[in-house]
Protein backbone atom coordinates (compact mmCIF):
# COMPACT_ATOMS: atom_id res chain seq x y z
CA UNK A 1 0.00 0.00 0.00
CA UNK A 2 1.37 3.38 -0.95
CA UNK A 3 1.04 6.56 1.09
CA UNK A 4 -2.56 7.68 1.26
CA UNK A 5 -4.35 10.97 1.70
CA UNK A 6 -5.24 11.83 5.30
CA UNK A 7 -8.68 10.73 6.46
CA UNK A 8 -10.96 12.17 9.14
CA UNK A 9 -14.21 10.69 10.48
CA UNK A 10 -16.42 11.75 13.37
CA UNK A 11 -19.19 9.90 15.18
CA UNK A 12 -21.85 11.35 17.51
CA UNK A 13 -22.54 10.72 21.14
CA UNK A 14 -25.99 9.68 22.26
CA UNK A 15 -28.64 9.88 24.91
CA UNK A 16 -30.97 6.94 25.48
CA UNK A 17 -33.97 9.10 26.28
CA UNK A 18 -36.30 6.15 26.92
CA UNK A 19 -35.71 2.41 27.08
CA UNK A 20 -33.00 2.21 29.72
CA UNK A 21 -32.54 -1.44 30.75
CA UNK A 22 -35.42 -2.49 28.46
CA UNK A 23 -33.15 -2.10 25.44
CA UNK A 24 -31.08 -5.04 26.70
CA UNK A 25 -33.93 -7.33 25.61
CA UNK A 26 -35.03 -7.71 21.98
CA UNK A 27 -38.64 -7.69 23.09
CA UNK A 28 -38.34 -3.96 23.83
CA UNK A 29 -37.03 -0.81 22.15
CA UNK A 30 -35.33 2.43 23.09
CA UNK A 31 -35.46 6.00 21.77
CA UNK A 32 -31.83 6.95 21.12
CA UNK A 33 -31.07 10.56 20.28
CA UNK A 34 -27.79 11.27 18.52
CA UNK A 35 -25.94 14.40 19.63
CA UNK A 36 -23.86 17.06 17.93
CA UNK A 37 -21.03 16.27 20.38
CA UNK A 38 -18.66 14.09 18.39
CA UNK A 39 -15.51 12.03 18.70
CA UNK A 40 -13.12 12.72 15.82
CA UNK A 41 -10.44 10.42 14.44
CA UNK A 42 -7.79 11.58 11.95
CA UNK A 43 -5.54 9.05 10.18
CA UNK A 44 -2.48 9.77 8.06
CA UNK A 45 0.50 7.78 6.85
CA UNK A 46 3.48 7.65 9.19
CA UNK A 47 6.60 8.73 7.25
CA UNK A 48 9.54 6.32 7.27
CA UNK A 49 13.06 6.62 5.93
CA UNK A 50 13.81 5.18 2.52
CA UNK A 51 14.37 1.44 2.71
CA UNK A 52 13.03 1.22 6.27
CA UNK A 53 10.17 -1.19 6.94
CA UNK A 54 8.08 -0.29 9.97
CA UNK A 55 5.10 -2.14 11.44
CA UNK A 56 3.93 0.49 13.86
CA UNK A 57 0.85 2.63 14.41
CA UNK A 58 0.95 5.62 16.75
CA UNK A 59 -2.28 6.78 18.42
CA UNK A 60 -2.45 10.15 20.18
CA UNK A 61 -5.11 11.98 22.16
CA UNK A 62 -3.45 15.41 22.46
CA UNK A 63 -6.18 17.02 24.58
CA UNK A 64 -4.93 14.91 27.50
CA UNK A 65 -1.57 14.45 29.17
CA UNK A 66 0.35 11.17 28.77
CA UNK A 67 -2.05 10.01 26.06
CA UNK A 68 0.05 8.39 23.36
CA UNK A 69 -0.01 4.70 22.54
CA UNK A 70 2.31 2.91 20.12
CA UNK A 71 1.33 -0.43 18.64
CA UNK A 72 3.17 -3.05 16.68
CA UNK A 73 1.13 -5.26 14.38
CA UNK A 74 1.59 -8.44 12.37
CA UNK A 75 -0.50 -10.70 10.19
CA UNK A 76 -0.90 -14.08 11.81
CA UNK A 77 -1.18 -17.52 10.24
CA UNK A 78 -4.26 -19.70 9.75
CA UNK A 79 -6.57 -16.72 9.14
CA UNK A 80 -5.86 -15.40 12.59
CA UNK A 81 -6.16 -11.80 11.47
CA UNK A 82 -3.85 -9.01 12.60
CA UNK A 83 -2.44 -9.15 16.09
CA UNK A 84 -1.81 -5.76 17.72
CA UNK A 85 0.65 -5.38 20.60
CA UNK A 86 1.32 -2.23 22.62
CA UNK A 87 4.91 -1.01 22.48
CA UNK A 88 5.94 0.55 25.78
CA UNK A 89 9.62 1.34 25.28
CA UNK A 90 9.27 4.75 23.62
CA UNK A 91 9.92 7.80 25.79
CA UNK A 92 6.73 9.62 24.76
CA UNK A 93 4.36 6.67 25.11
CA UNK A 94 2.08 6.09 28.06
CA UNK A 95 2.45 2.81 29.91
CA UNK A 96 -1.28 2.43 30.50
CA UNK A 97 -3.47 0.41 28.19
CA UNK A 98 -6.29 1.77 26.06
CA UNK A 99 -8.42 -1.30 25.56
CA UNK A 100 -10.99 0.33 23.27
CA UNK A 101 -8.35 1.70 20.90
CA UNK A 102 -6.27 -1.47 20.83
CA UNK A 103 -9.28 -3.72 20.25
CA UNK A 104 -10.78 -1.47 17.57
CA UNK A 105 -7.42 -1.33 15.79
CA UNK A 106 -6.99 -5.10 15.88
CA UNK A 107 -10.52 -5.75 14.60
CA UNK A 108 -10.33 -3.13 11.86
CA UNK A 109 -6.92 -4.29 10.60
CA UNK A 110 -8.02 -7.93 10.75
CA UNK A 111 -10.99 -7.10 8.54
CA UNK A 112 -8.75 -5.10 6.20
CA UNK A 113 -6.45 -8.12 5.91
CA UNK A 114 -9.31 -10.21 4.51
CA UNK A 115 -9.89 -7.75 1.67
CA UNK A 116 -6.35 -7.03 0.51
CA UNK A 117 -3.04 -8.85 0.34
CA UNK A 118 -1.09 -5.59 0.27
CA UNK A 119 1.09 -4.68 3.21
CA UNK A 120 -0.50 -2.63 5.98
CA UNK A 121 1.56 0.53 6.21
CA UNK A 122 2.46 2.53 9.34
CA UNK A 123 0.02 5.25 10.37
CA UNK A 124 -0.41 8.11 12.82
CA UNK A 125 -3.88 8.37 14.36
CA UNK A 126 -5.15 11.37 16.32
CA UNK A 127 -8.27 11.30 18.49
CA UNK A 128 -10.09 14.51 19.45
CA UNK A 129 -13.26 14.93 21.51
CA UNK A 130 -15.77 17.75 21.51
CA UNK A 131 -15.86 19.54 24.84
CA UNK A 132 -19.05 18.18 26.36
CA UNK A 133 -17.88 14.58 26.71
CA UNK A 134 -16.07 15.59 29.89
CA UNK A 135 -17.08 17.58 32.96
CA UNK A 136 -13.75 19.39 33.04
CA UNK A 137 -14.19 22.52 30.96
CA UNK A 138 -10.60 22.57 29.70
CA UNK A 139 -8.82 25.60 28.34
CA UNK A 140 -8.75 27.08 24.87
CA UNK A 141 -5.31 27.47 23.37
CA UNK A 142 -4.91 31.02 22.01
CA UNK A 143 -2.32 29.76 19.54
CA UNK A 144 -4.95 27.65 17.80
CA UNK A 145 -7.06 29.04 14.98
CA UNK A 146 -10.74 29.67 15.83
CA UNK A 147 -11.80 26.63 13.81
CA UNK A 148 -9.64 24.33 15.94
CA UNK A 149 -10.56 25.93 19.26
CA UNK A 150 -13.67 23.74 19.28
CA UNK A 151 -11.31 21.16 20.85
CA UNK A 152 -10.19 22.22 24.30
CA UNK A 153 -7.03 21.17 26.09
CA UNK A 154 -8.33 19.27 29.13
CA UNK A 155 -4.85 19.47 30.67
CA UNK A 156 -5.04 16.28 32.73
CA UNK A 157 -4.46 12.54 32.24
CA UNK A 158 -7.30 10.73 30.50
CA UNK A 159 -7.97 8.46 33.48
CA UNK A 160 -8.71 11.49 35.67
CA UNK A 161 -11.29 13.05 33.34
CA UNK A 162 -14.93 12.82 34.46
CA UNK A 163 -17.22 11.68 31.65
CA UNK A 164 -20.68 13.16 31.23
CA UNK A 165 -22.21 9.91 29.96
CA UNK A 166 -22.62 10.78 26.27
CA UNK A 167 -21.29 7.47 24.95
CA UNK A 168 -17.66 8.33 24.32
CA UNK A 169 -16.41 4.74 24.03
CA UNK A 170 -18.98 3.77 21.37
CA UNK A 171 -18.41 6.99 19.41
CA UNK A 172 -14.65 6.41 19.66
CA UNK A 173 -14.77 2.80 18.47
CA UNK A 174 -17.12 3.72 15.61
CA UNK A 175 -15.16 6.75 14.39
CA UNK A 176 -11.85 4.91 14.87
CA UNK A 177 -13.04 1.87 12.93
CA UNK A 178 -14.50 3.98 10.13
CA UNK A 179 -11.34 6.07 9.81
CA UNK A 180 -9.04 3.03 9.69
CA UNK A 181 -11.21 1.30 7.08
CA UNK A 182 -11.41 4.44 4.96
CA UNK A 183 -7.65 4.99 5.21
CA UNK A 184 -6.62 1.48 4.17
CA UNK A 185 -9.52 0.63 1.84
CA UNK A 186 -10.58 3.93 0.27
CA UNK A 187 -12.06 2.35 -2.84
CA UNK A 188 -13.57 -0.74 -1.22
CA UNK A 189 -15.35 0.74 1.79
CA UNK A 190 -18.17 3.16 0.95
CA UNK A 191 -19.52 4.35 4.27
CA UNK A 192 -22.16 6.58 2.68
CA UNK A 193 -24.06 3.57 1.33
CA UNK A 194 -26.51 1.41 3.25
CA UNK A 195 -24.34 -1.69 2.85
CA UNK A 196 -21.22 0.21 3.90
CA UNK A 197 -22.92 1.54 7.02
CA UNK A 198 -24.19 -1.94 7.87
CA UNK A 199 -20.65 -3.36 7.62
CA UNK A 200 -19.30 -0.55 9.82
CA UNK A 201 -22.11 -1.11 12.34
CA UNK A 202 -21.42 -4.84 12.55
CA UNK A 203 -17.65 -4.42 12.87
CA UNK A 204 -17.92 -1.63 15.45
CA UNK A 205 -20.45 -3.65 17.49
CA UNK A 206 -18.09 -6.66 17.50
CA UNK A 207 -15.07 -4.56 18.50
CA UNK A 208 -16.95 -2.60 21.17
CA UNK A 209 -18.35 -5.77 22.74
CA UNK A 210 -14.89 -7.36 22.74
CA UNK A 211 -13.36 -4.29 24.41
CA UNK A 212 -16.11 -4.24 27.04
CA UNK A 213 -15.72 -7.95 27.69
CA UNK A 214 -19.45 -8.54 27.20
CA UNK A 215 -22.13 -8.41 24.52
CA UNK A 216 -24.07 -5.25 25.36
CA UNK A 217 -27.27 -3.94 23.83
CA UNK A 218 -25.38 -1.92 21.21
CA UNK A 219 -27.69 1.12 21.15
CA UNK A 220 -24.73 3.48 21.61
CA UNK A 221 -22.82 2.05 18.64
CA UNK A 222 -26.00 2.11 16.54
CA UNK A 223 -26.45 5.81 17.32
CA UNK A 224 -22.79 6.46 16.48
CA UNK A 225 -23.26 4.87 13.06
CA UNK A 226 -26.82 5.88 12.16
CA UNK A 227 -27.65 8.82 14.43
CA UNK A 228 -31.01 9.22 16.17
CA UNK A 229 -33.29 6.18 15.94
CA UNK A 230 -35.74 3.85 17.61
CA UNK A 231 -33.47 0.90 18.38
CA UNK A 232 -34.10 -2.80 18.85
CA UNK A 233 -31.02 -4.77 19.81
CA UNK A 234 -29.41 -7.57 17.80
CA UNK A 235 -29.45 -11.17 19.00
CA UNK A 236 -26.39 -11.65 21.23
CA UNK A 237 -25.78 -15.09 19.70
CA UNK A 238 -24.57 -13.30 16.54
CA UNK A 239 -21.26 -12.62 18.27
CA UNK A 240 -20.98 -15.90 20.15
CA UNK A 241 -17.82 -17.83 19.41
CA UNK A 242 -15.96 -14.90 17.83
CA UNK A 243 -12.42 -15.63 18.94
CA UNK A 244 -9.69 -13.08 19.62
CA UNK A 245 -7.27 -11.80 17.01
CA UNK A 246 -4.37 -14.17 16.42
CA UNK A 247 -6.43 -17.29 16.96
CA UNK A 248 -6.95 -19.59 13.98
CA UNK A 249 -9.98 -18.68 11.89
CA UNK A 250 -10.59 -15.30 13.55
CA UNK A 251 -10.42 -13.13 10.44
CA UNK A 252 -12.65 -15.43 8.38
CA UNK A 253 -15.25 -15.53 11.16
CA UNK A 254 -15.00 -11.75 11.62
CA UNK A 255 -15.54 -11.11 7.92
CA UNK A 256 -18.63 -13.32 7.92
CA UNK A 257 -19.98 -11.36 10.89
CA UNK A 258 -19.20 -7.97 9.33
CA UNK A 259 -20.63 -8.80 5.91
CA UNK A 260 -23.58 -10.77 7.33
CA UNK A 261 -22.79 -13.73 5.11
CA UNK A 262 -23.78 -16.51 7.49
CA UNK A 263 -27.00 -17.95 5.97
CA UNK A 264 -27.98 -19.58 9.26
CA UNK A 265 -27.82 -16.48 11.45
CA UNK A 266 -28.43 -12.97 10.11
CA UNK A 267 -28.13 -9.61 11.79
CA UNK A 268 -31.52 -8.59 13.16
CA UNK A 269 -30.88 -5.11 14.54
CA UNK A 270 -33.88 -2.80 14.35
CA UNK A 271 -33.14 0.79 13.26
CA UNK A 272 -36.10 3.16 12.74
CA UNK A 273 -34.93 6.69 12.03
CA UNK A 274 -38.23 8.15 10.88
CA UNK A 275 -39.74 8.01 14.38
CA UNK A 276 -36.76 9.52 16.21
CA UNK A 277 -36.72 13.17 15.22
CA UNK A 278 -37.85 15.87 17.61
CA UNK A 279 -40.70 18.07 16.35
CA UNK A 280 -39.97 21.62 15.24
CA UNK A 281 -40.17 23.92 18.25
CA UNK A 282 -38.64 21.44 20.72
CA UNK A 283 -35.00 20.86 21.48
CA UNK A 284 -32.97 18.59 23.69
CA UNK A 285 -30.75 20.03 26.40
CA UNK A 286 -28.58 18.19 28.91
CA UNK A 287 -27.42 19.16 32.37
CA UNK A 288 -24.18 17.68 33.70
CA UNK A 289 -24.09 17.03 37.43
CA UNK A 290 -20.33 16.28 37.39
CA UNK A 291 -20.71 12.94 39.17
CA UNK A 292 -20.95 10.09 36.67
CA UNK A 293 -22.13 6.56 37.49
CA UNK A 294 -20.58 3.16 36.93
CA UNK A 295 -23.11 1.88 34.42
CA UNK A 296 -21.98 -1.76 34.54
CA UNK A 297 -22.65 -1.98 38.30
CA UNK A 298 -26.15 -0.53 37.96
CA UNK A 299 -27.07 -2.86 35.11
CA UNK A 300 -25.91 -5.99 36.94
CA UNK A 301 -28.04 -5.16 39.96
CA UNK A 302 -31.16 -4.41 37.93
CA UNK A 303 -30.79 -7.62 35.92
CA UNK A 304 -30.38 -9.61 39.15
CA UNK A 305 -33.63 -8.10 40.46
CA UNK A 306 -35.35 -8.94 37.16
CA UNK A 307 -34.20 -12.54 37.44
CA UNK A 308 -35.28 -12.91 41.05
CA UNK A 309 -38.61 -11.08 40.64
CA UNK A 310 -39.39 -12.07 37.06
CA UNK A 311 -43.18 -11.73 37.19
CA UNK A 312 -43.16 -8.25 38.74
CA UNK A 313 -40.35 -7.15 36.45
CA UNK A 314 -42.13 -8.39 33.33
CA UNK A 315 -45.27 -6.43 34.18
CA UNK A 316 -43.33 -3.27 34.97
CA UNK A 317 -41.20 -3.53 31.82
CA UNK A 318 -44.28 -4.05 29.64
CA UNK A 319 -45.85 -0.94 31.16
CA UNK A 320 -42.66 1.01 30.60
CA UNK A 321 -42.49 -0.14 26.98
CA UNK A 322 -46.04 1.13 26.47
CA UNK A 323 -45.03 4.49 27.93
CA UNK A 324 -41.99 4.64 25.65
CA UNK A 325 -44.15 3.87 22.61
CA UNK A 326 -46.63 6.54 23.71
CA UNK A 327 -43.77 9.04 23.86
CA UNK A 328 -42.56 8.20 20.35
CA UNK A 329 -46.12 8.40 19.02
CA UNK A 330 -46.69 11.78 20.67
CA UNK A 331 -43.46 13.15 19.19
CA UNK A 332 -44.70 12.04 15.78
CA UNK A 333 -48.07 13.68 16.41
CA UNK A 334 -46.39 16.94 17.38
CA UNK A 335 -44.18 16.77 14.29
CA UNK A 336 -47.32 16.63 12.17
CA UNK A 337 -49.07 19.39 14.13
CA UNK A 338 -46.76 22.41 14.52
CA UNK A 339 -47.79 24.65 17.39
CA UNK A 340 -49.78 21.98 19.22
CA UNK A 341 -49.61 22.12 23.05
CA UNK A 342 -47.14 19.95 24.94
CA UNK A 343 -49.42 18.88 27.81
CA UNK A 344 -49.81 15.27 26.63
CA UNK A 345 -46.05 14.98 26.12
CA UNK A 346 -45.45 16.36 29.60
CA UNK A 347 -47.82 13.81 31.16
CA UNK A 348 -46.21 10.91 29.26
CA UNK A 349 -42.75 11.91 30.51
CA UNK A 350 -44.03 12.14 34.09
CA UNK A 351 -45.58 8.67 33.76
CA UNK A 352 -42.32 7.20 32.47
CA UNK A 353 -40.41 8.82 35.34
CA UNK A 354 -42.87 7.40 37.84
CA UNK A 355 -42.35 3.90 36.46
CA UNK A 356 -38.58 4.36 36.51
CA UNK A 357 -38.71 5.37 40.18
CA UNK A 358 -40.83 2.30 40.87
CA UNK A 359 -38.19 0.10 39.23
CA UNK A 360 -35.52 1.95 41.18
CA UNK A 361 -37.33 1.30 44.46
CA UNK A 362 -38.08 -2.38 43.75
CA UNK A 363 -34.54 -3.19 42.56
CA UNK A 364 -32.74 -1.08 45.16
CA UNK A 365 -30.76 0.58 42.36
CA UNK A 366 -30.51 4.40 42.18
CA UNK A 367 -31.83 4.74 38.62
CA UNK A 368 -33.42 8.09 39.45
CA UNK A 369 -31.75 9.06 42.75
CA UNK A 370 -33.37 11.68 44.94
CA UNK A 371 -30.87 14.36 43.94
CA UNK A 372 -31.76 13.78 40.28
CA UNK A 373 -35.49 13.75 41.09
CA UNK A 374 -35.11 17.12 42.78
CA UNK A 375 -33.16 18.54 39.85
CA UNK A 376 -35.63 17.22 37.26
CA UNK A 377 -38.62 18.51 39.23
CA UNK A 378 -37.01 21.93 39.65
CA UNK A 379 -36.11 22.23 35.97
CA UNK A 380 -39.51 20.96 34.83
CA UNK A 381 -41.21 23.76 36.77
CA UNK A 382 -39.42 26.43 34.72
CA UNK A 383 -41.23 28.22 31.86
CA UNK A 384 -40.78 26.43 28.57
CA UNK A 385 -39.37 23.19 30.04
CA UNK A 386 -41.64 20.29 29.02
CA UNK A 387 -39.95 17.58 31.08
CA UNK A 388 -36.93 15.35 31.32
CA UNK A 389 -35.40 12.08 32.44
CA UNK A 390 -32.25 10.54 33.81
CA UNK A 391 -31.37 8.77 30.57
CA UNK A 392 -29.90 5.35 29.89
CA UNK A 393 -29.03 3.34 32.97
CA UNK A 394 -29.74 6.33 35.19
CA UNK A 395 -27.67 7.23 38.23
CA UNK A 396 -25.70 10.45 38.30
CA UNK A 397 -24.96 11.01 34.61
CA UNK A 398 -26.21 14.15 32.86
CA UNK A 399 -30.00 14.56 32.82
CA UNK A 400 -31.86 15.11 29.53
CA UNK A 401 -34.60 17.73 29.12
CA UNK A 402 -37.02 18.56 26.32
CA UNK A 403 -37.57 22.32 26.20
CA UNK A 404 -39.17 24.82 23.87
CA UNK A 405 -36.60 25.90 21.30
CA UNK A 406 -36.51 29.54 22.34
CA UNK A 407 -33.50 31.56 23.46
CA UNK A 408 -35.35 32.92 26.49
CA UNK A 409 -36.16 29.38 27.68
CA UNK A 410 -32.57 28.16 27.41
CA UNK A 411 -31.23 31.39 28.95
CA UNK A 412 -33.66 31.05 31.86
CA UNK A 413 -32.57 27.46 32.43
CA UNK A 414 -28.94 28.54 32.31
CA UNK A 415 -29.50 31.23 34.94
CA UNK A 416 -31.39 28.81 37.16
CA UNK A 417 -28.66 26.18 37.03
CA UNK A 418 -25.96 28.75 37.77
CA UNK A 419 -27.48 29.22 41.22
CA UNK A 420 -28.66 25.67 41.79
CA UNK A 421 -27.24 23.54 44.61
CA UNK A 422 -28.36 20.00 45.33
CA UNK A 423 -29.48 19.25 48.86
CA UNK A 424 -29.07 15.48 48.92
CA UNK A 425 -28.32 13.34 51.90
CA UNK A 426 -24.82 12.46 53.08
CA UNK A 427 -22.66 10.44 50.71
CA UNK A 428 -22.62 10.54 46.94
CA UNK A 429 -25.74 12.62 46.58
CA UNK A 430 -24.41 15.39 48.80
CA UNK A 431 -21.39 15.71 46.49
CA UNK A 432 -23.55 16.77 43.55
CA UNK A 433 -23.25 20.51 43.87
CA UNK A 434 -22.30 21.93 40.49
CA UNK A 435 -24.73 21.62 37.58
CA UNK A 436 -23.69 22.74 34.10
CA UNK A 437 -25.78 23.11 30.96
CA UNK A 438 -24.02 21.18 28.20
CA UNK A 439 -23.79 22.79 24.79
CA UNK A 440 -25.32 19.81 22.96
CA UNK A 441 -28.30 19.37 20.68
CA UNK A 442 -29.98 16.43 19.04
CA UNK A 443 -28.57 15.53 15.63
CA UNK A 444 -30.06 13.05 13.21
CA UNK A 445 -26.85 12.23 11.33
CA UNK A 446 -24.53 9.47 12.44
CA UNK A 447 -20.86 9.10 11.54
CA UNK A 448 -19.56 11.31 8.74
CA UNK A 449 -16.38 12.37 6.95
CA UNK A 450 -14.85 15.63 8.14
CA UNK A 451 -12.70 18.36 6.63
CA UNK A 452 -9.16 17.62 7.81
CA UNK A 453 -8.39 21.35 8.01
CA UNK A 454 -10.21 21.66 11.37
CA UNK A 455 -7.56 19.47 13.02
CA UNK A 456 -4.43 21.14 11.66
CA UNK A 457 -3.19 22.75 14.89
CA UNK A 458 -3.61 19.51 16.83
CA UNK A 459 -1.52 17.37 14.49
CA UNK A 460 2.05 17.36 15.70
Amino acid sequence: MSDKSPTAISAPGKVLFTGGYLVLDRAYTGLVLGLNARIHVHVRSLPTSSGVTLSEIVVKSPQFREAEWRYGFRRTENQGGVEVVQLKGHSTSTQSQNTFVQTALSYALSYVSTLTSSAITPASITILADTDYYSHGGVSNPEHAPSTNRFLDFNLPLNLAHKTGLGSSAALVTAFTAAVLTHYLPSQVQLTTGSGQACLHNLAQAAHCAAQGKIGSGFDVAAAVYGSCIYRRFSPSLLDGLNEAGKAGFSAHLRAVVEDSNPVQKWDTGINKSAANLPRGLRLVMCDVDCGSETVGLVKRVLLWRKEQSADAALLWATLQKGNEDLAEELQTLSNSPGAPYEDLREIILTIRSLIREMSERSGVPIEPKVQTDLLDACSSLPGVVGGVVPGAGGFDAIALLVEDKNEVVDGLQRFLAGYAATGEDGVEANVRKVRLLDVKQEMQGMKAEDIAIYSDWLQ
Side-chain angles (χ1 to χ4, degrees):
M1 295 182 185
S2 58
D3 286 352
K4 299 171 177 59
S5 299
T7 297
I9 302 286
S10 72
K14 54 68 194 168
V15 54
L16 182 60
F17 196 83
T18 61
Y21 299 100
L22 276 69
V23 79
L24 293 165
D25 190 321
R26 270 189 55 77
Y28 308 97
T29 58
L31 171 59
V32 195
L33 301 179
L35 303 174
N36 61 350
R38 290 175 168 267
I39 299 291
H40 303 250
V41 177
H42 177 280
V43 186
R44 59 181 172 177
S45 297
L46 187 66
T48 58
S49 302
S50 178
V52 174
T53 301
L54 191 65
S55 296
E56 184 175 346
I57 291 177
V58 181
V59 181
K60 300 178 181 179
S61 186
Q63 293 166 285
F64 299 95
R65 304 290 80 83
E66 303 168 20
E68 177 183 292
W69 300 268
R70 290 175 177 262
Y71 299 102
F73 59 88
R74 68 178 185 92
R75 291 179 187 252
T76 60
E77 299 176 345
N78 301 318
Q79 296 184 315
V82 176
E83 190 173 30
V84 174
V85 179
Q86 186 173 355
L87 308 174
K88 297 185 177 182
H90 198 277
S91 59
T92 62
S93 299
T94 181
Q95 301 303 299
S96 63
Q97 286 188 310
N98 190 323
T99 303
F100 287 99
V101 163
Q102 187 168 348
T103 305
L105 182 59
S106 178
Y107 272 58
L109 293 182
S110 292
Y111 180 61
V112 167
S113 73
T114 69
L115 299 178
T116 179
S117 58
S118 301
I120 297 174
T121 54
S124 175
I125 302 178
T126 301
I127 301 168
L128 292 165
D130 284 339
T131 305
D132 286 318
Y133 279 97
Y134 299 95
S135 295
H136 295 273
V139 293
S140 178
N141 190 331
E143 297 180 358
H144 290 172
S147 61
T148 59
N149 266 334
R150 67 178 288 176
F151 306 111
L152 298 185
D153 186 345
F154 294 107
N155 196 32
L156 78 171
L158 182 59
N159 65 328
L160 297 181
H162 291 180
K163 295 182 179 182
T164 54
L166 304 186
S168 57
S169 66
L172 167 63
V173 168
T174 300
F176 193 98
T177 301
V180 170
L181 292 184
T182 304
H183 180 73
Y184 287 112
L185 301 171
S187 61
Q188 293 169 268
V189 175
Q190 302 296 323
L191 297 181
T192 58
T193 66
S195 59
Q197 290 176 354
C199 285
L200 172 62
H201 169 267
N202 300 346
L203 179 54
Q205 291 283 19
H208 194 247
C209 288
Q212 287 183 313
K214 65 182 181 67
I215 301 176
S217 69
F219 75 88
D220 43 6
V221 170
V225 175
Y226 295 106
S228 299
C229 63
I230 301 289
Y231 176 78
R232 190 183 300 276
R233 71 156 305 151
F234 58 89
S235 297
S237 56
L238 277 161
L239 298 180
D240 283 347
L242 186 59
N243 218 329
E244 62 186 57
K247 302 294 185 181
F250 170 75
S251 63
H253 190 176
L254 180 65
R255 182 173 179 177
V257 166
V258 171
E259 298 180 357
D260 200 18
S261 60
N262 183 348
V264 178
Q265 189 162 32
K266 310 295 286 184
W267 279 86
D268 49 6
T269 313
I271 304 290
N272 181 355
K273 288 187 64 64
S274 63
N277 201 10
L278 294 183
R280 186 183 299 275
L282 274 184
R283 65 167 286 187
L284 172 78
V285 298
M286 299 192 68
C287 307
D288 172 35
V289 296
D290 196 10
C291 184
S293 307
E294 183 59 48
T295 301
V296 174
L298 297 179
V299 171
K300 285 182 177 179
R301 291 161 61 190
V302 169
L303 292 183
L304 178 61
W305 161 77
R306 187 191 184 200
K307 181 179 180 180
E308 293 176 344
Q309 305 292 331
S310 57
D312 288 345
L315 180 59
L316 181 55
W317 280 31
T319 309
L320 257 173
Q321 175 67 16
K322 176 62 167 58
N324 298 342
E325 291 171 355
D326 288 345
L327 180 98
E329 183 177 339
E330 180 62 18
L331 290 176
Q332 287 276 61
T333 299
L334 290 169
S335 294
N336 296 327
S337 306
Y342 298 123
E343 289 308 313
D344 288 347
L345 179 61
R346 181 177 286 109
E347 289 302 316
I348 292 170
I349 292 174
L350 288 173
T351 298
I352 291 173
R353 282 187 56 202
S354 175
L355 293 168
I356 289 293
R357 287 196 300 274
E358 183 178 347
M359 181 163 64
S360 187
E361 181 177 348
R362 291 189 184 188
S363 64
V365 177
I367 304 170
E368 188 187 293
K370 180 182 182 300
V371 68
Q372 297 281 53
T373 297
D374 292 344
L375 178 58
L376 283 167
D377 289 346
C379 290
S380 297
S381 68
L382 298 175
V385 178
V386 178
V389 297
V390 185
F396 297 94
D397 282 342
I399 66 168
L401 301 171
L402 294 182
V403 306
E404 294 181 30
D405 191 10
K406 300 175 181 177
N407 290 336
E408 59 267 30
V409 172
V410 178
D411 291 344
L413 180 60
Q414 183 90 56
R415 289 192 298 271
F416 171 77
L417 293 176
Y420 183 82
T423 56
E425 302 168 359
D426 292 340
V428 177
E429 291 187 359
N431 292 329
V432 183
R433 297 291 180 185
K434 181 181 178 183
V435 183
R436 178 172 66 98
L437 191 66
L438 299 179
D439 187 24
V440 298
K441 295 181 180 180
Q442 185 218 6
E443 189 171 89
M444 286 300 295
Q445 187 173 9
M447 67 84 207
K448 63 181 180 180
E450 296 281 1
D451 181 355
I452 63 173
I454 67 175
Y455 312 110
S456 57
D457 289 339
W458 289 93
L459 304 176
Q460 302 297 327

